[in-house]
């Protein structure tokens, strides 16, 4: 029997956007309010995606790395989740530079990517419109999800990770 495919996924984004909360939500379907913000962890996870068992190795970055560490993580990964917080415009403005660095590190390869606007439960203090996220994703030619690690009703978090796996497998 063929060995199940393995994909390495790294989660990027400014500290505090909810990277750890999203990864933990995806892995456990639970929300953990406080997560050590300086912690960097990798997790292994198997999922059945389109009738194929895929093994993911997921790197939850701390978001405070220097450029060398960032580049190292980018070289390691096959696919990337870039996360911003819809209540933090600054985190949205960091997406473009992260994407440019990814392109630079991975060139001439195409970079499998998904864009996630997290904390959609905090719509009342939103600073980044849904259309802005959609527009940026269109510019980057990647899928876009608005979701909430703490109130993940439609399963958008898992959908984002699964779509990224598909994107990696298509390359
Ligand atoms: P990281 O630094 O990107 O890993 O962010 P964390 O996962 O540690 O989350 C930072 C803070 O945002 C924590 O206080 C979380 O409880 C909170 N948080 C994360 N995701 C959400 C979300 O979807 N909604 C709300 N309201 N808070 C969130
Ligand atoms: Mg974290």
């Amino acid at each position: 029997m063929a060995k199940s495919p393995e994909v390495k996924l790294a989660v990027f984004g400014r500290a505090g956007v909810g990277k750890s909360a999203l990864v933990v939500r995806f892995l456990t379907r639970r929300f953990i309010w406080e997560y050590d913000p300086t912690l960097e962890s990798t997790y292994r996870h198997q999922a059945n995606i389109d009738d194929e068992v895929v093994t993911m190795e997921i790197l939850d970055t701390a978001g405070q790395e220097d450029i060398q560490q960032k580049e190292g993580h980018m070289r390691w990964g096959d696919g990337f989740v870039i996360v911003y917080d819809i209540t933090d415009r600054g985190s949205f403005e960091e997406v473009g530079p992260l994407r440019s660095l990814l392109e630079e590190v991975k060139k001439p390869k195409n970079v499998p990517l998904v864009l996630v606007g997290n904390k959609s439960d905090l719509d009342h203090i939103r600073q980044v419109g849904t259309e802005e996220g959609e527009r940026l994703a269109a510019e980057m030619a990647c899928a876009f999800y608005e979701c909430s690690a703490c109130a993940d009703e439609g399963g958008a978090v898992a959908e984002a990770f699964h779509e990224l796996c598909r994107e990696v497998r298509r390359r």
Side-chain angles (χ1 to χ4, degrees), residues 13-22 31-37 60-62 118-122 147-151:
R14 172 187 270 196
V17 295
K19 298 178 296 298
S20 301
L22 285 167
F31 180 63
I32 294 175
W33 275 103
E34 289 311 326
Y35 216 84
D36 181 347
D60 171 25
T61 69
N118 189 39
K119 308 198 189 181
S120 61
D121 55 297
L122 300 178
C147 58
S148 165
C150 76

Side-chain angles (χ1 to χ4, degrees), residues 61-120:
T61 69
Q64 311 169 323
E65 297 81 1
D66 63 28
I67 187 102
Q68 278 83 15
Q69 290 170 306
K70 274 202 184 103
E71 287 177 357
H73 293 152
M74 288 173 174
R75 275 192 293 274
W76 173 86
D78 304 315
F80 303 89
V81 182
I82 300 186
V83 184
Y84 67 92
D85 169 354
I86 67 154
T87 73
D88 174 11
R89 176 153 296 274
S91 72
F92 183 66
E93 285 162 359
E94 286 183 21
V95 172
L98 274 172
R99 161 82 178 342
S100 304
L101 189 60
L102 267 173
E103 298 264 279
E104 178 75 30
V105 170
K106 292 301 207 188
K107 119 190 125 189
K109 278 198 258 175
N110 246 318
V111 187
L113 190 70
V114 296
L115 179 64
V116 170
N118 189 39
K119 308 198 189 181
S120 61

